[in-house]
Structures are given as structure tokens and as C-alpha cells.
Amino acid sequence: MRVLTVNPGSSSLKLSLLDHDDTILNTLDLDSGPAGREAERLAAAVARIPAPDAIGLRFVHGGRDFTHPAVVDDEVAKRLHTLIDLAPLHQPQSLYALGELRRAMPGVPVVACFDTAFHAGLPEAAAAYAVPVEWRERHGLRRYGFHGLSYGYALRRAGELLGTDPAGLRFVLFHLGSGASLAAVAGGRPVDTTMGFTPLEGLVMATRAGNLDPGIPLWLCKHGVPEGEISDALEHRSGLRALAGTGDMREIRDRAGKGDEVAAFALDVYHHRLRGSAAAMAAAMGGVDALVFTGGVGEHDAAVRERAAADLAFLGAAVDTAANAAARGDAEVTAPGAAVRTLVVTAREDLEIAAGVRAALA
């Protein structure tokens, strides 16, 4: 089965055409932009790609209903629209892409693949919020977790790199990019994660603040700040952008290296949250055997990996400086004698999406 995978992210739109054996036949990366314009560019792009047998489309949020890949019909599409307010930065991009794909290729089945599905088996103690039970039941308030397509692939690939069944190890998985989160996985199953009901919770990200006292937006509302302004700020004007004026980690690191104190402070805040959250993931499993870095920053920023591992030295983590700096693609960068192994895995959400498509259509 030839599968076209379509992956709308917060800063890019990635297309991969995979043959039956997952050989890449064609790829295309588009910069993310306004959803309508992105759909137009998607239409032009797919017109240049050989027709697939099926399409796999990434959706960030599946809510309570979608815990496995789902073949999209009109009813499924309608239910997906109800989830926009849970992931307003991502869900509209996927929905616009869905409409364009169904128009451009009306006879080709589209399968929705969900980032939240990986975390559907979170222990209830990790998934529950301590809020009134009627809120939890009526509105589905729980911690869903995200980046699951990335985590699913990274977990399997880590097992291959280590030459063992990943179910026998405890992993802290780092998906670090414009959006960022961590996941604790033990026994091959998710134990905890940093994102929650929406992708706003957790780490400091490019434009999102991560963990925030819920009293802050309530206080701002009470003092006359419009809800729309608060929502826009939390999604688009917080995180590294708020601390350093940009969400681009490369620019921040370059400025910090030249003595820019504002940029250096932004890095300190970023790593403070990363260290504490990674330690919490390890604590949820009673320890850790391996750290796995993936995502744009996780794959390409050796300095982030080295500082993160040094911050977790008390758990037994350390990277080999030379191997870490030289890492390109999948690699192990563990320092000799370190108790915790450290890996870099290239994000291949396309392979996870294609596997989901084939399973749904089997």
C-alpha cells in the first residue's frame, strides 16, 4: 500500500509518500502559514505527487473518542471539528488539510492519526486532574498528552539502537521542537507526560509558556484583559519568544554565546523547567535507563542535550562530548561508564502515521 503522510505542525507542513516497504518516494516540506493559504499550497503540492492508495493525516488532539487511527467519513470529520478549541494552534491546520485532500483525491481513503492516542493508556492517577468530578465527566477534563506519533516511533527505534525489547527498559523521551514535551515510558507503556488537556501545559516552548498558575489568566480576566488576548498570548506570544524576543533556539543560543544576558536568561528558564520535568518523569517510573532526544531541537542541538544530561547527572546520565557534537541522525551519545544511556533519534512521524493507516485499513 502506497501511503501519503501529511503532518501539519505548529511551524511546518511535511508530506511524505511512502511505498509498501516504507521506502520514501517523495517528500515535501512547506513552511506553516495561515490555514487557508496552507491548504492552497497543499493542493498544489499533492498535484505533483503520484496518487497514493491511502492518506494518513496527523491530528494533534483526538479527545475522548479517538484513541486509535480512524478512517475519516463525514461523521468523523464533524467530530474532529468539535476539538478545535482543545488545540487551536494545530487542529485547524489539520482540518483545512483534510478538506483539501478529500477534494483533491475523492476516491482515496484518509485516515486520521492522533498524537493523543499514544497516551490513552496513561494510569488514571497520572491522567486525572483534581477538579470537580462533574467537570471531568461532562467535559472530559483529563490529561491527554501529545507528540504521541513521535514517541511511538522513537520508542521502537530506541529499542533497535539498544538491541533490546524497549518493554524491558524505563525511558524518558524528549520531544523538543517549537512545541516540546516529555514522556515517561516503562514496560512499553506510557507512565506520565508533561502536556495535559491541551498542548499548553508542561515545558517552556517556542511560543507557549508551559506550566502556568491557573490563577494568572483568571486574574487577568478579572482585571479586564479580554479572553481572546489571553488566549493569543498563551499560544503565540509566550515561552522563549516572551523571554528572548524570539522562539528560535538557534538565534537564542547564538546571542547567548555572544554575551547577551537576555538570551542567556531565557536558556536558564528553559533548562530549569526541562530539568525538573525530566526528573519528575524518572520519579514516576522509579528510575530511568535511557534518555531519548528527538524533534527539531532534540535532534540538532547538541548543547541542549549536553546540558540536559548534565542536569540529570544525579540520576546517572552523561553524554560523550565528542560523540554528542558529531551526532547526525540516529546515534548513541552516552559517556563511557554512564549508568543511563542517551540516544538521539531522528523524528519519523511519517512511519508511525503510515503504520496507523495500514492497521486501520487492514
Side-chain angles (χ1 to χ4, degrees), residues 64-81:
R64 286 185 290 186
D65 294 338
F66 298 106
T67 57
H68 297 89
V71 180
V72 178
D73 56 20
D74 290 344
E75 177 59 29
V76 168
K78 182 179 178 181
R79 289 157 63 192
L80 290 172
H81 275 83

PDB file of all heavy atoms in Angstrom, residues 64-81:
ATOM      1  N   ARG A  64     -11.707  12.387  23.768  1.00  0.00           N
ATOM      2  CA  ARG A  64     -12.044  11.113  24.411  1.00  0.00           C
ATOM      3  C   ARG A  64     -12.361  10.023  23.399  1.00  0.00           C
ATOM      4  O   ARG A  64     -12.204   8.837  23.680  1.00  0.00           O
ATOM      5  CB  ARG A  64     -13.245  11.303  25.340  1.00  0.00           C
ATOM      6  CG  ARG A  64     -12.936  12.035  26.615  1.00  0.00           C
ATOM      7  CD  ARG A  64     -14.127  12.096  27.552  1.00  0.00           C
ATOM      8  NE  ARG A  64     -15.191  12.983  27.066  1.00  0.00           N
ATOM      9  CZ  ARG A  64     -16.278  13.281  27.759  1.00  0.00           C
ATOM     10  NH1 ARG A  64     -16.454  12.749  28.955  1.00  0.00           N
ATOM     11  NH2 ARG A  64     -17.187  14.110  27.273  1.00  0.00           N
ATOM     12  N   ASP A  65     -12.826  10.411  22.215  1.00  0.00           N
ATOM     13  CA  ASP A  65     -13.374   9.437  21.274  1.00  0.00           C
ATOM     14  C   ASP A  65     -12.326   8.700  20.451  1.00  0.00           C
ATOM     15  O   ASP A  65     -12.508   7.526  20.110  1.00  0.00           O
ATOM     16  CB  ASP A  65     -14.339  10.129  20.312  1.00  0.00           C
ATOM     17  CG  ASP A  65     -15.576  10.670  21.011  1.00  0.00           C
ATOM     18  OD1 ASP A  65     -15.896  10.165  22.101  1.00  0.00           O
ATOM     19  OD2 ASP A  65     -16.204  11.594  20.476  1.00  0.00           O
ATOM     20  N   PHE A  66     -11.242   9.372  20.105  1.00  0.00           N
ATOM     21  CA  PHE A  66     -10.306   8.799  19.141  1.00  0.00           C
ATOM     22  C   PHE A  66      -9.018   8.360  19.843  1.00  0.00           C
ATOM     23  O   PHE A  66      -8.134   9.162  20.108  1.00  0.00           O
ATOM     24  CB  PHE A  66      -9.996   9.810  18.043  1.00  0.00           C
ATOM     25  CG  PHE A  66     -11.199  10.219  17.237  1.00  0.00           C
ATOM     26  CD1 PHE A  66     -11.773  11.470  17.413  1.00  0.00           C
ATOM     27  CD2 PHE A  66     -11.771   9.344  16.331  1.00  0.00           C
ATOM     28  CE1 PHE A  66     -12.884  11.851  16.673  1.00  0.00           C
ATOM     29  CE2 PHE A  66     -12.886   9.712  15.588  1.00  0.00           C
ATOM     30  CZ  PHE A  66     -13.449  10.969  15.766  1.00  0.00           C
ATOM     31  N   THR A  67      -8.918   7.075  20.114  1.00  0.00           N
ATOM     32  CA  THR A  67      -7.738   6.521  20.767  1.00  0.00           C
ATOM     33  C   THR A  67      -6.973   5.577  19.837  1.00  0.00           C
ATOM     34  O   THR A  67      -6.002   4.953  20.255  1.00  0.00           O
ATOM     35  CB  THR A  67      -8.120   5.770  22.050  1.00  0.00           C
ATOM     36  OG1 THR A  67      -9.071   4.741  21.731  1.00  0.00           O
ATOM     37  CG2 THR A  67      -8.738   6.734  23.070  1.00  0.00           C
ATOM     38  N   HIS A  68      -7.420   5.487  18.587  1.00  0.00           N
ATOM     39  CA  HIS A  68      -6.749   4.707  17.547  1.00  0.00           C
ATOM     40  C   HIS A  68      -6.931   5.452  16.219  1.00  0.00           C
ATOM     41  O   HIS A  68      -7.820   6.297  16.103  1.00  0.00           O
ATOM     42  CB  HIS A  68      -7.336   3.294  17.426  1.00  0.00           C
ATOM     43  CG  HIS A  68      -7.177   2.457  18.656  1.00  0.00           C
ATOM     44  ND1 HIS A  68      -8.116   2.452  19.670  1.00  0.00           N
ATOM     45  CD2 HIS A  68      -6.188   1.621  19.036  1.00  0.00           C
ATOM     46  CE1 HIS A  68      -7.715   1.625  20.626  1.00  0.00           C
ATOM     47  NE2 HIS A  68      -6.551   1.122  20.265  1.00  0.00           N
ATOM     48  N   PRO A  69      -6.106   5.147  15.225  1.00  0.00           N
ATOM     49  CA  PRO A  69      -6.328   5.754  13.906  1.00  0.00           C
ATOM     50  C   PRO A  69      -7.749   5.489  13.420  1.00  0.00           C
ATOM     51  O   PRO A  69      -8.311   4.412  13.646  1.00  0.00           O
ATOM     52  CB  PRO A  69      -5.290   5.059  13.022  1.00  0.00           C
ATOM     53  CG  PRO A  69      -4.206   4.653  13.973  1.00  0.00           C
ATOM     54  CD  PRO A  69      -4.909   4.273  15.240  1.00  0.00           C
ATOM     55  N   ALA A  70      -8.342   6.491  12.743  1.00  0.00           N
ATOM     56  CA  ALA A  70      -9.745   6.394  12.325  1.00  0.00           C
ATOM     57  C   ALA A  70      -9.883   6.775  10.853  1.00  0.00           C
ATOM     58  O   ALA A  70      -9.371   7.817  10.417  1.00  0.00           O
ATOM     59  CB  ALA A  70     -10.614   7.316  13.169  1.00  0.00           C
ATOM     60  N   VAL A  71     -10.575   5.917  10.085  1.00  0.00           N
ATOM     61  CA  VAL A  71     -10.890   6.248   8.700  1.00  0.00           C
ATOM     62  C   VAL A  71     -11.895   7.398   8.710  1.00  0.00           C
ATOM     63  O   VAL A  71     -12.911   7.346   9.401  1.00  0.00           O
ATOM     64  CB  VAL A  71     -11.474   5.026   7.969  1.00  0.00           C
ATOM     65  CG1 VAL A  71     -11.799   5.388   6.520  1.00  0.00           C
ATOM     66  CG2 VAL A  71     -10.493   3.857   8.013  1.00  0.00           C
ATOM     67  N   VAL A  72     -11.603   8.448   7.961  1.00  0.00           N
ATOM     68  CA  VAL A  72     -12.414   9.661   8.011  1.00  0.00           C
ATOM     69  C   VAL A  72     -13.600   9.548   7.056  1.00  0.00           C
ATOM     70  O   VAL A  72     -13.439   9.323   5.854  1.00  0.00           O
ATOM     71  CB  VAL A  72     -11.576  10.902   7.652  1.00  0.00           C
ATOM     72  CG1 VAL A  72     -12.458  12.152   7.660  1.00  0.00           C
ATOM     73  CG2 VAL A  72     -10.427  11.065   8.631  1.00  0.00           C
ATOM     74  N   ASP A  73     -14.799   9.685   7.615  1.00  0.00           N
ATOM     75  CA  ASP A  73     -16.014   9.897   6.829  1.00  0.00           C
ATOM     76  C   ASP A  73     -16.623  11.210   7.295  1.00  0.00           C
ATOM     77  O   ASP A  73     -16.014  11.941   8.093  1.00  0.00           O
ATOM     78  CB  ASP A  73     -16.983   8.719   6.975  1.00  0.00           C
ATOM     79  CG  ASP A  73     -17.344   8.428   8.430  1.00  0.00           C
ATOM     80  OD1 ASP A  73     -17.172   9.330   9.291  1.00  0.00           O
ATOM     81  OD2 ASP A  73     -17.813   7.308   8.717  1.00  0.00           O
ATOM     82  N   ASP A  74     -17.806  11.534   6.827  1.00  0.00           N
ATOM     83  CA  ASP A  74     -18.401  12.827   7.181  1.00  0.00           C
ATOM     84  C   ASP A  74     -18.648  12.941   8.678  1.00  0.00           C
ATOM     85  O   ASP A  74     -18.469  14.019   9.261  1.00  0.00           O
ATOM     86  CB  ASP A  74     -19.716  13.032   6.421  1.00  0.00           C
ATOM     87  CG  ASP A  74     -19.504  13.268   4.932  1.00  0.00           C
ATOM     88  OD1 ASP A  74     -18.353  13.583   4.544  1.00  0.00           O
ATOM     89  OD2 ASP A  74     -20.473  13.132   4.161  1.00  0.00           O
ATOM     90  N   GLU A  75     -19.055  11.847   9.319  1.00  0.00           N
ATOM     91  CA  GLU A  75     -19.327  11.890  10.755  1.00  0.00           C
ATOM     92  C   GLU A  75     -18.041  12.086  11.542  1.00  0.00           C
ATOM     93  O   GLU A  75     -17.990  12.881  12.482  1.00  0.00           O
ATOM     94  CB  GLU A  75     -20.015  10.595  11.192  1.00  0.00           C
ATOM     95  CG  GLU A  75     -20.277  10.502  12.697  1.00  0.00           C
ATOM     96  CD  GLU A  75     -21.147  11.630  13.243  1.00  0.00           C
ATOM     97  OE1 GLU A  75     -21.980  12.160  12.480  1.00  0.00           O
ATOM     98  OE2 GLU A  75     -20.975  11.984  14.432  1.00  0.00           O
ATOM     99  N   VAL A  76     -16.976  11.376  11.173  1.00  0.00           N
ATOM    100  CA  VAL A  76     -15.691  11.552  11.856  1.00  0.00           C
ATOM    101  C   VAL A  76     -15.189  12.980  11.663  1.00  0.00           C
ATOM    102  O   VAL A  76     -14.708  13.625  12.606  1.00  0.00           O
ATOM    103  CB  VAL A  76     -14.663  10.530  11.338  1.00  0.00           C
ATOM    104  CG1 VAL A  76     -13.253  10.888  11.813  1.00  0.00           C
ATOM    105  CG2 VAL A  76     -15.029   9.126  11.799  1.00  0.00           C
ATOM    106  N   ALA A  77     -15.300  13.511  10.443  1.00  0.00           N
ATOM    107  CA  ALA A  77     -14.852  14.888  10.184  1.00  0.00           C
ATOM    108  C   ALA A  77     -15.605  15.874  11.058  1.00  0.00           C
ATOM    109  O   ALA A  77     -15.019  16.830  11.603  1.00  0.00           O
ATOM    110  CB  ALA A  77     -15.034  15.224   8.705  1.00  0.00           C
ATOM    111  N   LYS A  78     -16.900  15.657  11.218  1.00  0.00           N
ATOM    112  CA  LYS A  78     -17.705  16.539  12.057  1.00  0.00           C
ATOM    113  C   LYS A  78     -17.231  16.501  13.505  1.00  0.00           C
ATOM    114  O   LYS A  78     -17.110  17.545  14.166  1.00  0.00           O
ATOM    115  CB  LYS A  78     -19.170  16.135  11.971  1.00  0.00           C
ATOM    116  CG  LYS A  78     -20.124  17.001  12.770  1.00  0.00           C
ATOM    117  CD  LYS A  78     -21.569  16.528  12.583  1.00  0.00           C
ATOM    118  CE  LYS A  78     -22.533  17.363  13.415  1.00  0.00           C
ATOM    119  NZ  LYS A  78     -23.937  16.888  13.237  1.00  0.00           N
ATOM    120  N   ARG A  79     -16.930  15.309  14.009  1.00  0.00           N
ATOM    121  CA  ARG A  79     -16.467  15.188  15.397  1.00  0.00           C
ATOM    122  C   ARG A  79     -15.089  15.819  15.582  1.00  0.00           C
ATOM    123  O   ARG A  79     -14.794  16.387  16.635  1.00  0.00           O
ATOM    124  CB  ARG A  79     -16.449  13.712  15.800  1.00  0.00           C
ATOM    125  CG  ARG A  79     -17.856  13.131  15.974  1.00  0.00           C
ATOM    126  CD  ARG A  79     -17.871  11.626  15.825  1.00  0.00           C
ATOM    127  NE  ARG A  79     -17.074  10.940  16.833  1.00  0.00           N
ATOM    128  CZ  ARG A  79     -16.745   9.648  16.760  1.00  0.00           C
ATOM    129  NH1 ARG A  79     -17.113   8.926  15.713  1.00  0.00           N
ATOM    130  NH2 ARG A  79     -16.042   9.098  17.725  1.00  0.00           N
ATOM    131  N   LEU A  80     -14.252  15.745  14.555  1.00  0.00           N
ATOM    132  CA  LEU A  80     -12.930  16.356  14.648  1.00  0.00           C
ATOM    133  C   LEU A  80     -13.025  17.872  14.762  1.00  0.00           C
ATOM    134  O   LEU A  80     -12.196  18.511  15.424  1.00  0.00           O
ATOM    135  CB  LEU A  80     -12.091  15.969  13.432  1.00  0.00           C
ATOM    136  CG  LEU A  80     -11.655  14.501  13.358  1.00  0.00           C
ATOM    137  CD1 LEU A  80     -11.004  14.208  12.014  1.00  0.00           C
ATOM    138  CD2 LEU A  80     -10.703  14.165  14.500  1.00  0.00           C
ATOM    139  N   HIS A  81     -14.022  18.465  14.128  1.00  0.00           N
ATOM    140  CA  HIS A  81     -14.199  19.914  14.223  1.00  0.00           C
ATOM    141  C   HIS A  81     -14.539  20.356  15.645  1.00  0.00           C
ATOM    142  O   HIS A  81     -14.238  21.493  16.028  1.00  0.00           O
ATOM    143  CB  HIS A  81     -15.293  20.381  13.251  1.00  0.00           C
ATOM    144  CG  HIS A  81     -14.797  20.638  11.872  1.00  0.00           C
ATOM    145  ND1 HIS A  81     -14.636  19.637  10.929  1.00  0.00           N
ATOM    146  CD2 HIS A  81     -14.410  21.793  11.244  1.00  0.00           C
ATOM    147  CE1 HIS A  81     -14.180  20.162   9.801  1.00  0.00           C
ATOM    148  NE2 HIS A  81     -14.039  21.456   9.961  1.00  0.00           N
TER     149      HIS A  81
END
